[in-house]
């Protein structure tokens, strides 16, 4: 058994994170016409959690529909929709790198959904290639579950997993991917977004924006060209140190880079080059310098005028007042956020009420964890 399964077993108590075998995160969709959508990938996350350290075993795993519906970010699924999601996952053929070999296999070997009256229960077995890879895994990604379940696109979900795997590497803070490799990692359907400008505008930029907006990572990217043709993308990442940075600027120790707008990078119809101001990359000596010290004014969070309409508070500026007022130990912030939205809706109170912060803090002070 590899180290990853032991880590998953040892940290089963951690409800806020899941520990994913790195080899599985690095998997690529094998040129699929219809790769799994965002809801199917969220179900996949719940299946990982339900299987725990037994995910490499040739055995049935179970998950009931009520437990799926209780998760933030998952819509109110019907039995028929659950069947369709398992069909999406069953049809996903992945390519995994295992030593010197490329292993090809399906995510699932079989799945069953109980059709008798009573609670809807799903059972499944993971595919043989999946289990083989998981069994020997020695490195892993730490996935923030509330962030993953808050994602709204397949591309953002996959990019978040890629960065989570690389975030703690001490020797690198960027990696270059060919366009073909990046398309396979993100799950771009076969025959779609084949032009660079479309891939950039429809997949890469939205994924980067969403990861920057709701995760603990700061991500940016620049295209790599051969002549005038874009042949790859270099992705930069860093880990933000506290919640208030998430809606702010990137960490100052990284170059502020973004993908060049699509109208200037189409490889099919290149335009005359323009003079553009480019921030110089950080030099080797600059990376060791201390970052600019923030003043008290810099550190002060922006006014919290609108309560988030969806998702967890875990990596938002609302997490700090929540933790300050909620009973200890701090309950799951995704559950707290959903409860407050229901409370506000029941009172027909807008989430941008002028006193929303004060109302939320008072509500948190009276919050009681259901046993």
């Amino acid at each position: 058994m590899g180290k990853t399964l032991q880590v998953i077993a040892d940290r089963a108590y951690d409800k806020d994170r899941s520990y994913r075998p790195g080899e599985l995160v690095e998997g690529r969709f094998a040129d699929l016409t219809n790769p799994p959508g965002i809801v199917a990938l969220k179900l996949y996350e719940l299946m990982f959690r339900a299987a725990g350290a037994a995910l490499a075993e040739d055995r049935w795993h179970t998950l009931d529909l009520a437990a799926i519906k209780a998760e933030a970010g998952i819509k109110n699924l019907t039995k028929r929709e659950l069947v369709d999601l398992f069909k999406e996952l069953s049809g996903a053929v992945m390519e995994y790198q295992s030593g010197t070999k490329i292993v090809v296999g399906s995510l699932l070997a079989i799945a069953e959904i109980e059709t008798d009256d009573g609670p809807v229960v799903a059972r499944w077995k993971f595919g043989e290639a999946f289990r083989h890879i998981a069994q020997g895994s020695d490195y892993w990604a730490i996935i923030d579950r509330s962030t993953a379940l808050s994602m709204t696109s397949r591309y953002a979900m996959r990019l978040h997993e890629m960065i989570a795997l690389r975030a703690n590497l001490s020797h690198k803070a960027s990696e270059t991917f060919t366009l073909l490799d990046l398309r396979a990692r993100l799950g771009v359907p076969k025959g779609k977004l084949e032009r660079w400008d479309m891939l950039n505008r429809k997949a890469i930029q939205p994924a980067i924006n969403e990861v920057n907006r709701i995760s603990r990572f700061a991500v940016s990217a620049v295209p790599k060209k051969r002549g005038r043709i874009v042949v790859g993308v270099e992705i930069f990442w860093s880990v933000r140190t506290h919640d208030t940075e998430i809606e702010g600027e990137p960490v100052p120790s990284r170059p502020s880079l973004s993908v060049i707008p699509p109208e200037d990078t189409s490889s099919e119809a290149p335009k005359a080059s323009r003079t553009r101001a480019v921030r110089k990359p950080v030099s080797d000596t600059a990376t060791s310098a201390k970052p600019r010290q923030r003043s008290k004014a810099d550190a002060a969070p922006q006014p919290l005028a609108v309560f988030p309409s969806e998702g967890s508070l875990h990596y938002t500026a609302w997490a700090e007042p929540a933790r300050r007022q909620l009973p200890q130990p701090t309950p799951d912030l995704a559950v707290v956020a959903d409860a407050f939205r229901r409370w506000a809706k029941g009172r027909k109170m807008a989430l941008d009420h002028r006193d929303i912060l004060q109302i939320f803090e008072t509500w948190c002070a009276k919050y009681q964890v259901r046993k």
Side-chain angles (χ1 to χ4, degrees):
M1 180 177 72
K3 296 178 182 178
T4 302
L5 294 181
Q6 187 60 55
V7 168
I8 293 174
D10 292 344
R11 302 181 187 178
Y13 65 87
D14 191 347
K15 305 301 182 185
D16 295 327
R17 298 172 183 85
S18 62
Y19 297 81
R20 191 80 60 83
E23 295 88 346
L24 296 180
V25 173
E26 293 285 72
R28 298 160 178 81
F29 292 102
D31 207 16
L32 297 183
T33 303
N34 294 302
I38 182 60
V39 180
L41 291 179
K42 290 181 179 181
L43 175 60
Y44 184 52
E45 166 64 28
L46 301 185
M47 292 163 64
F48 258 100
R49 181 70 189 184
L55 61 86
E57 297 178 11
D58 183 10
R59 50 161 285 188
W60 290 98
H61 305 282
T62 62
L63 192 61
D64 62 76
L65 185 57
I68 297 173
K69 290 181 178 180
E71 292 286 349
I74 301 288
K75 66 177 183 176
N76 191 22
L77 297 175
T78 65
K79 186 187 299 184
R80 181 68 252 172
E81 289 172 328
L82 184 60
V83 170
D84 290 340
L85 291 178
F86 272 104
K87 287 168 63 179
E88 285 187 50
L89 294 175
S90 295
V93 178
M94 302 290 286
E95 295 179 3
Y96 306 109
Q97 188 71 39
S98 179
T100 59
K101 301 176 182 177
I102 294 177
V103 179
V104 179
S106 301
L107 294 179
L108 299 182
I110 188 173
E112 297 178 349
I113 291 85
E114 180 61 56
T115 59
D116 288 343
D117 293 338
V120 178
V121 177
R123 304 199 312 152
W124 72 93
K125 287 185 177 183
F126 287 115
E128 185 174 356
F130 174 102
R131 292 187 285 104
H132 171 74
I133 294 293
Q135 180 68 36
S137 175
D138 284 321
Y139 69 108
W140 56 92
I142 303 176
I143 306 296
D144 303 306
R145 296 186 70 248
S146 62
T147 300
L149 294 176
S150 298
M151 292 292 178
T152 61
S153 81
R154 170 176 61 238
Y155 306 137
M157 172 79 91
R158 292 288 293 171
L159 179 62
H160 178 253
E161 293 173 359
M162 289 169 56
I163 302 304
L165 181 63
R166 294 163 171 79
N168 293 323
L169 295 176
S170 59
H171 61 285
K172 63 187 296 187
S174 72
E175 186 170 341
T176 299
F177 303 89
T178 67
L179 293 188
L180 184 62
D181 185 26
L182 188 58
R183 288 171 57 88
R185 290 173 181 271
L186 295 180
V188 178
K190 181 180 180 180
K192 303 292 185 181
L193 309 183
E194 293 185 323
R195 290 166 47 108
W196 158 249
D197 59 337
M198 292 295 292
L199 178 67
N200 177 25
R201 188 169 71 250
K202 297 290 188 179
I204 298 174
Q205 289 199 57
I208 289 175
N209 291 339
E210 186 162 5
V211 170
N212 283 338
R213 181 170 57 85
I214 67 175
S215 82
R216 60 190 172 96
F217 305 124
V219 183
S220 54
V222 290
K224 309 296 287 185
K225 292 185 176 182
R226 184 179 296 127
R228 292 188 175 185
I229 299 176
V230 177
V231 295
V233 178
E234 184 173 10
I235 296 180
F236 296 79
W237 63 82
S238 57
V239 182
R240 288 180 276 204
T241 56
H242 52 78
D243 295 344
T244 55
E245 285 186 336
I246 287 181
E247 294 290 344
E249 59 182 312
V251 176
S253 62
R254 295 282 175 258
S256 180
L257 302 170
S258 60
V259 174
I260 298 173
E263 58 269 23
D264 292 333
T265 57
S266 172
S267 59
E268 289 79 2
K271 298 183 180 181
S273 60
R274 301 178 183 179
T275 301
R276 66 173 70 242
V278 179
R279 182 174 296 183
K280 293 182 179 180
V282 179
S283 66
D284 292 339
T285 55
T287 56
S288 62
K290 293 182 178 179
R292 177 179 66 86
Q293 296 295 319
R294 295 191 176 201
S295 66
K296 291 183 178 179
D298 291 333
Q302 295 300 312
L304 303 180
V306 182
F307 189 84
S309 61
E310 61 180 12
S312 174
L313 306 179
H314 192 63
Y315 290 112
T316 73
W318 288 85
E320 182 179 350
R323 294 189 180 105
R324 189 169 59 240
Q325 298 295 338
L326 287 166
Q328 298 300 314
T330 305
D332 188 319
L333 295 185
V335 174
V336 170
D338 285 340
F340 181 71
R341 293 185 195 102
R342 289 194 299 270
W343 180 86
K345 182 178 181 179
R347 285 155 182 77
K348 298 182 179 180
M349 183 182 68
L351 296 180
D352 60 352
H353 189 284
R354 64 180 183 180
D355 297 320
I356 190 65
L357 176 57
Q358 181 180 351
I359 293 170
F360 177 65
E361 289 182 322
T362 302
W363 181 89
C364 285
K366 300 178 180 179
Y367 182 85
Q368 295 182 351
V369 178
R370 294 184 179 181
K371 302 297 185 180

